PDB file of all heavy atoms in Angstrom:
ATOM      1  N   GLY A  12      -9.590  -2.930  18.901  1.00 96.00           N
ATOM      2  CA  GLY A  12     -10.421  -3.275  20.193  1.00 96.00           C
ATOM      3  C   GLY A  12     -11.574  -4.156  19.864  1.00 96.00           C
ATOM      4  O   GLY A  12     -12.408  -4.506  20.813  1.00 96.00           O
ATOM      5  N   LEU A  13     -11.794  -4.579  18.640  1.00 96.00           N
ATOM      6  CA  LEU A  13     -13.063  -5.440  18.367  1.00 96.00           C
ATOM      7  C   LEU A  13     -12.479  -6.889  18.279  1.00 96.00           C
ATOM      8  O   LEU A  13     -11.826  -7.336  17.277  1.00 96.00           O
ATOM      9  CB  LEU A  13     -13.684  -5.098  17.000  1.00 96.00           C
ATOM     10  CG  LEU A  13     -14.922  -5.619  16.576  1.00 96.00           C
ATOM     11  CD1 LEU A  13     -16.076  -5.430  17.586  1.00 96.00           C
ATOM     12  CD2 LEU A  13     -15.406  -5.326  15.209  1.00 96.00           C
ATOM     13  N   HIS A  14     -12.944  -7.598  19.287  1.00 94.00           N
ATOM     14  CA  HIS A  14     -12.381  -9.039  19.311  1.00 94.00           C
ATOM     15  C   HIS A  14     -13.474 -10.072  18.892  1.00 94.00           C
ATOM     16  O   HIS A  14     -13.198 -11.290  18.991  1.00 94.00           O
ATOM     17  CB  HIS A  14     -12.091  -9.241  20.792  1.00 94.00           C
ATOM     18  CG  HIS A  14     -11.075  -8.272  21.294  1.00 94.00           C
ATOM     19  ND1 HIS A  14      -9.668  -8.235  20.704  1.00 94.00           N
ATOM     20  CD2 HIS A  14     -10.998  -7.377  22.305  1.00 94.00           C
ATOM     21  CE1 HIS A  14      -9.086  -7.226  21.433  1.00 94.00           C
ATOM     22  NE2 HIS A  14      -9.832  -6.784  22.315  1.00 94.00           N
ATOM     23  N   GLN A  15     -14.610  -9.565  18.442  1.00 96.00           N
ATOM     24  CA  GLN A  15     -15.620 -10.511  17.931  1.00 96.00           C
ATOM     25  C   GLN A  15     -15.894 -10.149  16.421  1.00 96.00           C
ATOM     26  O   GLN A  15     -15.245  -9.214  15.867  1.00 96.00           O
ATOM     27  CB  GLN A  15     -16.909 -10.280  18.682  1.00 96.00           C
ATOM     28  CG  GLN A  15     -16.845 -10.497  20.231  1.00 96.00           C
ATOM     29  CD  GLN A  15     -16.404  -9.061  20.822  1.00 96.00           C
ATOM     30  OE1 GLN A  15     -16.538  -7.932  20.185  1.00 96.00           O
ATOM     31  NE2 GLN A  15     -16.231  -9.068  22.113  1.00 96.00           N
ATOM     32  N   LEU A  16     -16.727 -10.842  15.839  1.00 98.00           N
ATOM     33  CA  LEU A  16     -17.254 -10.252  14.428  1.00 98.00           C
ATOM     34  C   LEU A  16     -17.984  -9.059  14.715  1.00 98.00           C
ATOM     35  O   LEU A  16     -18.561  -8.804  15.672  1.00 98.00           O
ATOM     36  CB  LEU A  16     -18.077 -11.506  13.811  1.00 98.00           C
ATOM     37  CG  LEU A  16     -17.416 -12.723  13.415  1.00 98.00           C
ATOM     38  CD1 LEU A  16     -18.486 -13.678  12.845  1.00 98.00           C
ATOM     39  CD2 LEU A  16     -16.333 -12.515  12.516  1.00 98.00           C
ATOM     40  N   ALA A  17     -17.897  -8.158  13.599  1.00 98.00           N
ATOM     41  CA  ALA A  17     -18.573  -6.953  13.682  1.00 98.00           C
ATOM     42  C   ALA A  17     -20.121  -7.132  13.462  1.00 98.00           C
ATOM     43  O   ALA A  17     -20.539  -7.854  12.567  1.00 98.00           O
ATOM     44  CB  ALA A  17     -18.062  -5.896  12.739  1.00 98.00           C
ATOM     45  N   PHE A  18     -21.018  -6.584  14.389  1.00 98.00           N
ATOM     46  CA  PHE A  18     -22.341  -6.656  14.239  1.00 98.00           C
ATOM     47  C   PHE A  18     -22.926  -5.372  14.839  1.00 98.00           C
ATOM     48  O   PHE A  18     -22.695  -4.972  15.935  1.00 98.00           O
ATOM     49  CB  PHE A  18     -22.929  -7.879  15.036  1.00 98.00           C
ATOM     50  CG  PHE A  18     -24.521  -8.014  15.094  1.00 98.00           C
ATOM     51  CD1 PHE A  18     -25.022  -8.167  13.872  1.00 98.00           C
ATOM     52  CD2 PHE A  18     -25.160  -7.877  16.201  1.00 98.00           C
ATOM     53  CE1 PHE A  18     -26.413  -8.341  13.845  1.00 98.00           C
ATOM     54  CE2 PHE A  18     -26.546  -8.032  16.212  1.00 98.00           C
ATOM     55  CZ  PHE A  18     -27.186  -8.208  14.997  1.00 98.00           C
ATOM     56  N   GLY A  19     -23.784  -4.786  14.035  1.00 98.00           N
ATOM     57  CA  GLY A  19     -24.419  -3.535  14.275  1.00 98.00           C
ATOM     58  C   GLY A  19     -24.866  -2.711  13.050  1.00 98.00           C
ATOM     59  O   GLY A  19     -25.357  -3.334  12.100  1.00 98.00           O
ATOM     60  N   GLY A  20     -24.684  -1.365  13.092  1.00 98.00           N
ATOM     61  CA  GLY A  20     -25.148  -0.550  11.985  1.00 98.00           C
ATOM     62  C   GLY A  20     -24.984   0.873  12.202  1.00 98.00           C
ATOM     63  O   GLY A  20     -24.439   1.284  13.234  1.00 98.00           O
TER      64      GLY A  20
END
Side-chain angles (χ1 to χ4, degrees):
L13 186 60
H14 304 298
Q15 310 90 1
L16 294 180
F18 178 61

